Every structure is written in C-alpha cells, then in structure tokens.
Amino acid sequence: MGTLRTIADIRTATPNSVGDGFIGLNAFHPQGSRPFNPFLMLDHHGPMQVQPSEYPKGVDEHPHRGFETVTIVYEGALEHRDSAGNRGKLFAGDVQWMTAASGIIHEEKHEQEFSRRGGQLDFVQLWVNLPAKDKMSPPQYQDIASSRIPTGTLPGGGQLRVIAGELASLPGPARTFSPIVVADLALSSGQTETLTVPINYAFMAYVLRGSVTVNGKLVSRGQIALTNLDGDTISWGATADAKVLILAGEPIQEPLAVYGPFVMNTREEILEAYNDFQNGRMGVLN
Ligand code: MN
C-alpha cells in the first residue's frame, strides 16, 4: 500500500448565485485559488427548483480569457452559445469543456424545453487554469456526452466516472492542456474505497451530496477537502449515500493576475484583455 496523504484543509462553500438562474454555493474563487492550483474556481449550483418560464434564465453574454470553463450537469438541462459559433445542450451526465483561451463571449442558460417545463437543476462549473504558453491559443469547445464518459465499479462497490485524466485505470475523454483529473465518485452509505493519485498532483474532493471521510476526516455536503502533496493514497468511507467531485492535477507554477472573467499572468495582460473585450476583439455573439 502507498502512503496516505494528510488533509491540509476542509473548507465550507459559501452561498453564491450567478445571473438570474443559477443559485448555489462557491467552494473557491480565482482570487483565493492558489491552494487549489491548477483549478481556479468551483461553483455548485443546485439542487434548485426551476419554475416554468417561457424565457430561459441563466447568465447573459459575458467574456472569458486565459482559462477553461467546465460544466458538469447532474440534473436538469442547460443550453450554451458562444462567439466562436458553438451551440450546445447539456442534459444530466453531460459535460461541456470550453477552452476560452485567447477569448470568447458566451451565454449560459437553462435549456429551452427544460425552462418551459421547470424542474430540478443541479450542476457544477469548474474553471481550469491554462499554462501561460496556451492562454492565447484559439478557443476550443468539447461537448462530451454522458455516453462517452467511462464508468467503473471500484472494489468496494463505489461507482467512479472519469471525465478527464486517468483514475483507477479509467481514462477520461476530455483533452486537457496540463495533467489533471476530473472525476465523479458515488458511494453508498458504509462503502469504503482506496484510490491512488500521482504524488505530484494537488488533490481535492468536493462533496456534492451526503458525507464521506477522506483519509479519516469527515467532509459533508458543500465542503471541499484539500490534501497535502505528501502521499499517493486517498481512502474513502461513506457515512451516508454520497456523491463527490474529485479534482487533481499538477500545479501550474506561474504568476496569476485575476480580474473578473479574465485570468492571466500579469497585470498588463489583464489590461490588454479588458481592452480587447471593449473593442470587440473577443468576437460577437450572434
Ligand atoms: Mn461563463
């Protein structure tokens, strides 16, 4: 057996809503993201009850530059369109991996039919930093249907679904710019599991539902556990039926400059991003 990592911190997410239709929690944000490097932000919207509406709610058009936004839908449905011409609908289990890189303008809403019907919505949005050399690369878009995401049963009966990177020999379909793992773990009350992670990866676990122990420490819904980089083994014990979002990756050891929807390396690059956005150089949403 490997060495159990020690827990560096357990943080409780704070109430957060975005636009007029996404209500929930923020686990960490770009200004305070250094301990979570290479990740910049994690929002958990839901579970929330969406009231029927002819006009889909959500977030109106806004820009991003310098990183990737990853949206994982657990319940309900979302719709997206952006200035690079991408359009997408996401249903339960689907993932949208948007590389804003040099700049994109997008809109994120409840899916039209879902909005008309109303219902339960539960999703996360994760921001993944890009290495400096990739921040100004062309925008990309990966629409990852749930059917493309491998799911495996772990020795203790837990269900693991790997979106990016490799965990428990399951390869995730997302293309990434730096070595990371994004995965969903579902455990029934009483189940225990052990996972091995690369020794040089930051590792964190956000509890979406229920509660688990992570290397002996209790982590409940709306909390994120952050480990030190002092081992390769994570042990889990579900104290209730639980769903956990696993995030791991090699920290990107470069300076950060953050301003709202722009995450670059220097203040000059932030001013340039702001200027490019103001002057329409991040495209137009038609
Ligand atoms: Mn956005």
Side-chain angles (χ1 to χ4, degrees):
M1 284 307 291
T3 308
L4 275 191
R5 284 193 177 198
T6 57
I7 301 295
D9 200 5
I10 295 170
R11 297 197 191 177
T12 301
T14 54
N16 184 43
S17 51
V18 179
D20 67 355
F22 301 145
I23 298 161
L25 299 169
N26 172 265
F28 58 94
H29 53 80
Q31 283 80 7
S33 66
R34 278 278 104 157
F36 304 93
N37 185 2
F39 303 101
L40 295 168
M41 192 203 77
L42 178 64
D43 274 344
H44 178 202
H45 298 297
M48 59 177 280
Q49 190 62 33
V50 171
Q51 297 306 320
S53 166
E54 273 312 301
Y55 304 98
K57 293 183 176 174
V59 190
D60 290 329
E61 64 177 89
H62 58 279
H64 293 293
R65 173 181 278 181
F67 59 96
E68 304 184 284
T69 69
V70 179
T71 307
I72 309 171
V73 174
Y74 296 108
E75 272 188 284
L78 296 176
E79 195 159 340
H80 158 103
R81 59 193 190 103
D82 68 40
S83 56
N86 301 301
R87 299 280 181 278
K89 293 183 178 207
L90 293 103
F91 300 95
D94 297 342
V95 175
Q96 178 203 79
W97 199 290
M98 190 188 80
T99 306
S102 64
I104 211 163
I105 292 173
H106 76 163
E107 177 191 88
E108 302 161 272
K109 299 275 184 178
H110 300 161
E111 191 267 337
Q112 211 154 26
E113 193 46 44
F114 173 74
S115 179
R116 249 179 234 128
R117 260 192 349 260
Q120 183 108 326
L121 180 63
D122 192 19
F123 75 99
V124 297
Q125 187 165 96
L126 171 73
W127 290 9
V128 182
N129 199 14
L130 286 171
K133 66 174 175 49
D134 299 312
K135 280 185 180 289
M136 291 302 283
S137 62
Q140 292 182 26
Y141 184 80
Q142 301 174 66
D143 213 343
I144 307 171
S146 149
S147 57
R148 286 181 52 209
I149 304 173
T151 301
T153 302
L154 298 173
Q159 295 289 308
L160 183 70
R161 193 176 89 113
V162 180
I163 295 162
E166 192 177 311
L167 194 59
S169 304
L170 283 178
R175 294 185 309 275
T176 69
F177 286 78
S178 68
I180 62 173
V181 171
V182 177
D184 286 315
L185 176 65
L187 297 172
S188 298
S189 184
Q191 282 179 341
T192 60
E193 300 291 354
T194 300
L195 290 172
T196 302
V197 293
I199 197 116
N200 59 325
Y201 278 29
F203 183 95
M204 59 217 81
Y206 175 79
V207 178
L208 294 153
R209 188 186 301 166
S211 58
V212 292
T213 56
V214 181
N215 291 359
K217 297 269 198 262
L218 183 67
V219 191
S220 300
R221 181 188 184 276
Q223 291 188 314
I224 188 164
L226 184 66
T227 69
N228 291 308
L229 278 72
D230 56 357
D232 62 357
T233 304
I234 312 293
S235 77
W236 309 84
T239 51
D241 289 353
K243 288 194 69 176
V244 180
L245 176 65
I246 290 172
L247 305 175
E250 244 177 64
I252 297 171
Q253 309 289 10
E254 293 169 348
L256 269 194
V258 177
Y259 181 82
F262 310 130
V263 181
M264 304 299 289
N265 302 109
T266 67
R267 188 182 136 78
E268 288 66 35
E269 289 167 346
I270 289 291
L271 293 173
E272 190 186 349
Y274 190 75
N275 201 38
D276 285 352
F277 169 59
Q278 288 297 316
N279 289 291
R281 285 193 287 266
M282 290 188 189
V284 178
L285 190 62
N286 289 308

